[in-house]
């Protein structure tokens, strides 16, 4: 991998600080410091502690990441929404786990992305899932194709500036057409559920009603934080669990999984400084649910 940035001023700065300011992670810089890669200023190889006090092109060259042999590639289908040398945007189906774990180590989203990258002849074979979805939540998912992309997007993840919007169908009639849930969330003892608790982590969920049915409401939801099960837990705490969400008490007669779909994802591409947005189509089971409710 090779990445270049322009230093346009005469102000002195160390290479480490310059690259850190550009978003390179401490881990990447540490690896460069241990000779896993190199930095060049124009045509000169330099160390991270070197000071540059003139306009120059700073280039970082890194070897490929070592793939995890315990993560086998899968040749299962992958619904690709967009791809370039830094990012892979995919439409994850409901029922697929995002990353390998005790439930599945051979055919998760990561396994399929690794298989796709191998088929494309890519050198970096360590996918980094940036926007991880629950197993039974479908929709748009962002994957960084290498560790530099992961490091550069992390500030937007940590500052909650990625624009994540969902389609959800909840039980009952919401009183307001637009509102917020702000209850702090933490894991409910002895369960896999999250619940609202004064000792939980801050969480903020915004919603807009987009359709009302006899016994359910369709909503557009925007996450302003990224807590586990945030949408599911907030609506359940308000007395409106998602349809199909058995874990949170949602009715399961009309759909076999939580009625939740990651509809759109927007972020600023740190490599181009352009705002981009990607959308995933509504899957057939949710289309059938909405048709049934009408």
């Amino acid at each position: 991998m090779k990445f270049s940035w322009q230093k346009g001023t005469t102000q002195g700065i160390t290479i480490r600080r310059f690259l850190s300011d550009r978003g390179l992670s401490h881990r990447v810089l540490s690896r460069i410091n241990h000779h896993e890669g190199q930095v060049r200023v124009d045509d000169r190889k330099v160390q991270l502690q070197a000071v540059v006090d003139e306009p120059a092109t700073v280039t970082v060259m890194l070897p490929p990441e070592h793939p995890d042999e315990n993560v086998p590639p899968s040749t299962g289908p992958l619904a690709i929404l967009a791809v370039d040398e830094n990012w892979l945007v995919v439409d994850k189906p409901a029922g697929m786990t995002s990353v390998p774990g005790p439930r599945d180590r051979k055919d998760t989203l990561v396994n399929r992305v690794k298989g796709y990258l191998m088929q494309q002849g890519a050198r970096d074979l360590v996918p980094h899932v940036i926007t991880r979805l629950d197993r039974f939540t479908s929709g748009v998912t962002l994957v960084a194709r290498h560790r530099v992309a992961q490091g550069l997007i992390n500030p937007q993840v940590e500052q909650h500036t990625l624009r994540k919007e969902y389609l959800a169908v909840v039980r009952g009639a919401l009183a307001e057409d637009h509102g917020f849930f702000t209850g702090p969330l933490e894991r409910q003892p002895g369960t896999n559920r999250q619940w609202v608790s004064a000792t939980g982590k801050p969480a903020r969920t915004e919603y807009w009603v987009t359709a009302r049915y006899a016994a359910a409401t369709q909503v557009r939801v925007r996450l302003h934080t990224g807590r586990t099960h945030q949408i599911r837990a907030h609506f359940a705490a308000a007395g409106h669990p998602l349809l199909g969400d058995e874990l949170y008490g949602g009715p399961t007669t009309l759909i076999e999984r939580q009625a939740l779909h990651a509809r759109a994802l927007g972020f600023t591409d740190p490599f181009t400084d352009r705002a981009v947005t990607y959308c995933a189509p509504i899957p057939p089971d949710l289309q059938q649910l909405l048709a049934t409710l009408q």
Side-chain angles (χ1 to χ4, degrees):
M1 292 185 294
K2 181 178 179 180
F3 306 92
S4 295
W5 293 270
Q6 296 297 318
K7 179 182 181 298
T9 71
T10 58
Q11 182 177 359
I13 188 172
T14 65
I15 291 296
R16 177 182 289 276
R17 171 52 58 188
F18 178 83
L19 294 175
S20 179
D21 290 347
R22 298 298 163 300
L24 261 66
S25 67
H26 173 76
R27 179 177 296 180
V28 170
L29 293 174
S30 178
R31 290 187 174 185
I32 293 173
N33 204 42
H34 289 85
H35 308 292
E36 296 183 38
Q38 62 174 267
V39 180
R40 303 187 75 87
V41 174
D42 292 334
D43 59 351
R44 296 177 291 111
K45 182 179 177 180
V46 299
Q47 301 300 315
L48 290 177
Q49 61 268 28
V51 175
V52 180
D53 56 5
E54 59 188 12
T57 300
V58 179
T59 300
V60 172
M61 289 175 281
L62 298 170
E65 291 180 82
H66 299 294
D68 187 344
E69 295 181 356
N70 295 317
V71 180
S74 170
T75 57
L78 196 64
I80 297 175
L81 300 173
V83 61
D84 64 17
E85 64 271 20
N86 303 310
W87 312 106
L88 191 65
V89 185
V90 301
D91 183 3
K92 187 189 82 66
M96 175 185 286
T97 304
S98 292
V99 300
R103 184 184 299 275
D104 188 351
R105 297 189 181 277
K106 297 182 178 180
D107 193 32
T108 69
L109 179 63
V110 164
N111 299 95
R112 293 195 186 187
V113 170
K114 184 175 182 179
Y116 166 80
L117 294 175
M118 292 180 67
Q119 291 174 351
Q120 298 300 308
R123 298 182 65 203
D124 285 283
L125 301 175
V126 183
H128 303 272
V129 180
I130 304 302
T131 55
R132 189 181 303 184
L133 298 178
D134 295 342
R135 180 185 176 194
F136 289 105
T137 298
S138 57
V140 60
T141 303
L142 177 64
V143 180
R145 292 185 55 171
H146 50 76
R147 57 184 180 262
V148 173
Q150 180 193 29
L152 293 185
I153 199 69
N154 268 345
Q156 295 182 58
V157 175
E158 294 168 355
Q159 297 163 19
H160 307 300
T161 56
L162 274 72
R163 299 173 297 281
K164 295 184 283 186
E165 291 199 356
Y166 293 74
L167 180 155
V169 185
V170 305
R171 185 183 68 192
L174 290 165
E176 304 293 336
D177 287 337
H178 172 247
F180 292 87
F181 298 125
T182 58
L185 294 174
E186 67 178 5
R187 184 171 178 175
Q188 183 178 359
T191 76
N192 292 324
R193 294 164 47 108
Q194 299 286 314
W195 66 351
V196 173
S197 169
T199 58
K201 295 181 179 179
R204 184 176 176 85
T205 304
E206 185 174 11
Y207 72 86
W208 296 262
V209 171
T210 54
R212 294 183 180 274
Y213 308 105
T217 305
Q218 178 183 329
V219 290
R220 177 168 64 92
V221 184
R222 181 176 179 186
L223 288 181
H224 295 277
T225 52
R227 306 301 175 204
T228 301
H229 295 181
Q230 180 172 322
I231 294 173
R232 300 165 64 188
H234 266 164
F235 277 98
H240 300 283
L242 274 62
L243 300 194
D245 195 350
E246 184 176 9
L247 181 63
Y248 285 91
T252 58
T253 55
L254 296 179
I255 188 170
E256 296 181 351
R257 53 101 170 187
Q258 63 255 21
L260 185 62
H261 177 65
R263 185 74 179 91
L265 173 68
F267 61 96
T268 299
D269 188 330
F271 292 97
T272 64
D273 203 32
R274 291 193 308 110
V276 294
T277 299
Y278 301 100
C279 297
I282 300 174
D285 62 343
L286 272 178
Q287 290 185 25
Q288 179 61 45
L289 172 65
L290 296 177
T292 301
L293 291 172
Q294 290 178 354

